[in-house]
Amino acid sequence: MESENALSERAGIWIKRSPALDLRYKLGRVVRWSKRIGLLNAISFEVQQTLRRPVISFMHGSLGRRIHLRSSSSDIEVFEQIFIEDEFAIPLDSPKFIVDGGANCGLASLYLAVRYPGAKIIAVEPNAENCALCVRNTVGMNVEVVRTAIWSSSTRLKIENPGDAPWSFRCVEAEAGDPAGFEACDMGSILSGRQCDLVKLDIEGAELELFKDTGWLKDVSAILVETHGDEADALVRRACEGWTISQSGEKLLLVR
């Protein structure tokens, strides 16, 4: 049990804070968040987090809907990046089809569904717990949640690090008959020949596999990707040579 130090999570890393610093941080977050979600909603979030609620549910005032975040996860950090810092406020011209690869708890899909109500969104996520929360966060929106992983081919995968936190799961190919295996799809199968206005990717290093086959790029107008490591970053840039490349928060935005 914590007595003299409060624990606050930032980018998946636990950081020790003194009670005074923790209170200052929480008050600062209330100020930041209240401008977007409303003061009472921001206070409700902080109260639930202080009480160590496993899943924190609070209203987003301007959206008029409830958000669900896990307290001991990266969900809170991702929510701030997307809904407070507008990391996904990228210029798209009336998109009709979006793929959210590595949807996790569905925050990116929700943001994009609200920002582009005319778009059909496919949220791809391999983990069952993440998928369940993704469904809760996007209920009523034009979002289809698909439990699978994005890979270089249609195959069977398993989670390499099942003992780690759900937001950091990595996939590897599974041997035949492995009970932990599940289906994975190549991007071509997910697109099914449709023109895709945006592919968002946060797939924990699997971009090294995905970009082995770049035939699907011809059907994509823009990619928003978080690369994991220098090798993955270089591979993505080579695959999209000639595209316009810029930075949006922690992610690369590549536009044909």
Side-chain angles (χ1 to χ4, degrees), residues 11 23 43 67 83 93-94 103 110 115-116 123 131 135 139 146 156 165 170 173 186 213 224 232 239 256:
L23 178 59
I43 292 173
I67 304 289
F83 285 94
D93 185 16
S94 302
L110 175 59
R115 186 176 176 87
Y116 305 111
C131 278
V135 170
V139 63
V146 177
R156 285 185 62 79
R170 298 182 304 275
E173 293 195 27
D186 62 281
D213 175 12
L224 187 65
R256 183 185 297 278

Side-chain angles (χ1 to χ4, degrees), residues 149-155 184-191 210 213 216:
I150 299 177
W151 206 245
S152 57
S153 62
S154 293
T155 184
C185 292
D186 62 281
M187 186 62 77
S189 298
I190 294 170
L191 297 178
L210 176 60
D213 175 12
W216 56 274

